[in-house]
Amino acid sequence: MALLRKPESCRGCPLYGDGLGFVPDEVVDGARVFILGQGPGSDEEAGRKLLQINPYTYTPHPQAPFIGKTGWHLNNTYLPLAGLERGKDVSLGNVLRCRLRVGGRRVNDMPSGSELTQAVEHCSKAHLRIPESTRLIVAQGAHAWRALGGPGSVRDWRGYLSPGQHLPGVPGLGKDYANRPLPVFATLHIADLFHEPKLIWPTKRDFEKIPRILAGEWPLPHPKSHCHQEWNAEAEDWVEQARHNAPWVVLDGEWPTGTLSLLGLGYPGSSILQLTGDALTSDRFREALLRLFSRTRAVYWNAQADVHRLGADVGVGWEAHRAGWDDPMLLHSTLWTELGHDLEFVASIYSDFGKRKHLKYTAPLLYNAGDVADTISCASALFAELDRTPRCRQRYEDLLAIV
């Protein structure tokens, strides 16, 4: 199939070149989801749709996004997980709608520097149209995430909504989009998974979140938190309620200068208790922890670090945990050895709540409460997985004994 001529609106773009190789977006009026990728490949440019992989079989198709190998996986694996059907309830597009030419040859590489910035601005202004029906934009990969104004890297935000919950960063769109609040959801580009297959499962979990986002079921509101600088009756009552009602209690401490400055506690269904200042040095606080641990299991993300520090700063160490303790970080390393085990990554898969890790320095109370809430979600999910995978239990218990 002959290459498509670029529209007149492409003139002035640094990628205009010979004026050939345009790949228009596939916009579906009435669709609630818009998936934005980075740019077309050779199949999309040539109008060649991949029908099956083994053996590779193609058929002519009008130029469109995601009709090559990446599109085959999107159509057959990821869209069904999201409850979406191509051509019916999802629009597809790219940040750039043509390929880069290098030495007269068209390549899949993206431009860089000012050329990329100018091309994205020009292409967005000329061609990006988001239907009024759209309720969620899915940013596929780093270039889409950056073009949509996402903070940080797409790998840090994978599995989460952009904190602004809107379409903030597309330059040149003008007033038509200025007052349209649209959540932007970060995912890795499917083509990246060909080189990092260990991230296929987390990406599948990301696509499973899409119907929950549309239904307003994810992310959930964070639990309420209350912070006390002195030990008081409200804090005492919270601990007593936990002693009698909690299956286990999460503890998460902050040691920014090497000394405990903030401790958050929570359990499934509870508010989050945060203690700082004189509350952390109170004898009544230490006695309350001892009573709590005599009856209720403690849960820490990286227990080896936290319990050692609690023992040094509060006088409540390993020997105080008479009801036992758990470490879902160790549990995750038992169940999913090939994946990362830091809380930020694991929470992106299991947490019921939005991301707060980026608030460490700007809003430390929210950051700590977010860590407690994430640990509760992750621990609940991982304990359930352990129940379904009894062969891993002995290995997990062996790791706890080593610690």
Side-chain angles (χ1 to χ4, degrees), residues 4-7 10-22 98-102 104-106 115 119:
L4 275 186
R5 181 164 295 280
K6 295 177 181 178
C10 289
R11 290 190 182 275
C13 174
L15 302 187
Y16 185 78
D18 61 2
L20 298 175
F22 183 66
C98 69
R99 300 169 76 204
L100 178 68
R101 297 177 78 226
V102 178
R105 226 170 27 91
R106 290 177 167 83
E115 184 179 38

Coordinates of all heavy atoms in Angstrom, one line a residue, residues 4-7 10-22 98-102 104-106 115 119:
L4 N 0.9 7.2 2.8 CA 0.0 8.4 2.9 C 0.7 9.7 2.8 O 1.7 9.9 3.4 CB -0.9 8.3 4.1 CG -2.1 7.5 4.2 CD1 -2.8 7.7 5.5 CD2 -3.0 7.7 3.0
R5 N 0.1 10.6 2.0 CA 0.7 12.0 1.9 C 0.3 12.7 3.2 O -0.8 12.6 3.7 CB 0.2 12.7 0.7 CG 0.8 14.1 0.6 CD 0.6 14.7 -0.8 NE 1.4 13.9 -1.8 CZ 2.7 14.0 -2.0 NH1 3.3 14.9 -1.3 NH2 3.3 13.3 -2.9
K6 N 1.2 13.5 3.8 CA 0.9 14.2 5.0 C 0.0 15.4 4.6 O 0.2 16.0 3.6 CB 2.2 14.7 5.6 CG 3.1 13.6 6.1 CD 4.5 14.1 6.6 CE 5.3 13.0 7.1 NZ 6.7 13.4 7.5
P7 N -0.9 15.7 5.5 CA -1.8 16.8 5.3 C -1.1 18.2 5.3 O 0.1 18.3 5.8 CB -2.8 16.8 6.5 CG -2.7 15.4 7.1 CD -1.3 15.0 6.8
C10 N 0.7 19.6 8.3 CA 2.0 19.0 8.7 C 3.1 20.0 8.3 O 4.2 19.8 8.8 CB 2.2 17.6 8.2 SG 1.2 16.3 8.9
R11 N 2.9 20.8 7.3 CA 4.0 21.7 6.9 C 4.4 22.6 8.0 O 3.7 23.1 8.8 CB 3.5 22.6 5.7 CG 3.3 21.8 4.4 CD 3.0 22.7 3.2 NE 2.8 21.9 2.0 CZ 3.7 21.4 1.2 NH1 5.0 21.7 1.5 NH2 3.4 20.7 0.1
G12 N 5.8 22.8 8.1 CA 6.3 23.5 9.2 C 6.9 22.7 10.3 O 7.6 23.1 11.2
C13 N 6.5 21.4 10.3 CA 7.0 20.4 11.3 C 8.4 20.0 10.9 O 8.7 19.8 9.8 CB 6.0 19.2 11.4 SG 6.7 17.9 12.5
P14 N 9.3 19.9 11.9 CA 10.7 19.5 11.6 C 10.7 18.1 11.0 O 11.8 17.7 10.4 CB 11.4 19.6 12.9 CG 10.4 19.5 14.0 CD 9.2 20.2 13.3
L15 N 9.7 17.3 11.1 CA 9.7 15.9 10.5 C 9.0 15.8 9.2 O 8.7 14.7 8.7 CB 9.0 14.9 11.5 CG 9.6 14.8 12.9 CD1 9.0 13.7 13.7 CD2 11.1 14.7 12.9
Y16 N 8.6 17.0 8.6 CA 7.8 16.9 7.4 C 8.5 16.2 6.2 O 7.9 15.4 5.5 CB 7.5 18.4 6.9 CG 6.6 18.4 5.7 CD1 5.2 18.1 5.9 CD2 7.1 18.6 4.4 CE1 4.4 18.1 4.8 CE2 6.2 18.6 3.3 CZ 4.9 18.3 3.5 OH 4.0 18.3 2.4
G17 N 9.8 16.4 6.1 CA 10.6 15.6 5.1 C 10.1 15.7 3.7 O 9.8 16.7 3.1
D18 N 9.8 14.5 3.1 CA 9.3 14.4 1.8 C 7.8 14.4 1.7 O 7.2 14.3 0.6 CB 9.8 13.1 1.1 CG 9.3 11.8 1.8 OD1 8.6 11.9 2.8 OD2 9.7 10.7 1.4
G19 N 7.1 14.7 2.8 CA 5.7 14.8 2.9 C 4.9 13.5 2.8 O 3.7 13.5 2.6
L20 N 5.6 12.4 3.0 CA 5.0 11.1 2.9 C 5.1 10.4 4.2 O 6.0 10.7 5.1 CB 5.6 10.2 1.8 CG 5.4 10.8 0.4 CD1 6.2 9.8 -0.6 CD2 4.0 10.9 0.0
G21 N 4.2 9.4 4.5 CA 4.3 8.5 5.6 C 3.4 8.9 6.8 O 3.7 8.5 7.9
F22 N 2.3 9.6 6.5 CA 1.4 10.0 7.6 C 0.6 8.8 8.1 O 0.1 8.0 7.3 CB 0.5 11.1 7.1 CG -0.5 11.6 8.1 CD1 0.0 12.4 9.2 CD2 -1.8 11.5 8.0 CE1 -0.8 12.9 10.1 CE2 -2.7 12.0 8.9 CZ -2.2 12.7 10.0
C98 N 4.2 10.2 12.2 CA 5.1 9.8 11.1 C 6.4 9.3 11.7 O 6.6 9.5 12.9 CB 5.3 10.9 10.1 SG 6.4 12.2 10.7
R99 N 7.2 8.6 10.9 CA 8.5 8.1 11.4 C 9.6 9.1 11.1 O 9.5 9.9 10.2 CB 8.8 6.8 10.7 CG 7.7 5.7 11.0 CD 7.9 4.5 10.2 NE 9.1 3.7 10.6 CZ 9.7 2.9 9.8 NH1 9.5 2.8 8.6 NH2 10.7 2.1 10.3
L100 N 10.6 9.0 11.9 CA 11.8 9.8 11.7 C 12.6 9.3 10.5 O 12.7 8.1 10.2 CB 12.7 9.8 12.9 CG 14.0 10.5 12.9 CD1 13.7 12.0 13.0 CD2 14.8 10.1 14.2
R101 N 13.1 10.3 9.7 CA 14.0 9.9 8.6 C 15.4 10.3 8.9 O 15.7 11.4 9.3 CB 13.6 10.7 7.3 CG 12.2 10.3 6.8 CD 11.8 11.2 5.6 NE 12.4 10.6 4.4 CZ 13.0 11.4 3.5 NH1 13.1 12.7 3.6 NH2 13.5 10.8 2.4
V102 N 16.3 9.3 8.8 CA 17.7 9.4 9.1 C 18.5 9.0 7.8 O 18.4 7.8 7.4 CB 18.2 8.6 10.3 CG1 19.7 8.7 10.5 CG2 17.4 9.0 11.5
G104 N 17.8 9.6 4.8 CA 16.9 9.2 3.7 C 16.1 8.0 4.0 O 15.3 7.6 3.3
R105 N 16.4 7.4 5.2 CA 15.8 6.1 5.6 C 14.8 6.4 6.7 O 15.1 7.1 7.6 CB 16.8 5.1 6.0 CG 16.7 3.7 5.5 CD 17.9 2.8 5.8 NE 18.6 3.2 7.0 CZ 18.4 2.7 8.2 NH1 17.4 1.9 8.4 NH2 19.1 3.1 9.2
R106 N 13.6 5.7 6.7 CA 12.7 5.9 7.8 C 13.0 4.9 8.9 O 13.1 3.7 8.6 CB 11.2 5.7 7.3 CG 10.8 6.8 6.4 CD 9.4 6.6 5.8 NE 8.8 7.8 5.2 CZ 9.1 8.2 4.0 NH1 9.9 7.5 3.2 NH2 8.5 9.3 3.5
E115 N 14.2 19.2 18.4 CA 13.4 18.7 17.3 C 12.2 17.9 17.8 O 11.1 18.0 17.2 CB 14.3 17.7 16.4 CG 13.6 17.2 15.2 CD 14.6 16.3 14.3 OE1 15.3 15.6 15.0 OE2 14.5 16.4 13.1
A119 N 8.4 19.0 17.2 CA 7.5 18.0 16.5 C 6.3 17.6 17.3 O 5.2 17.6 16.7 CB 8.3 16.8 16.1

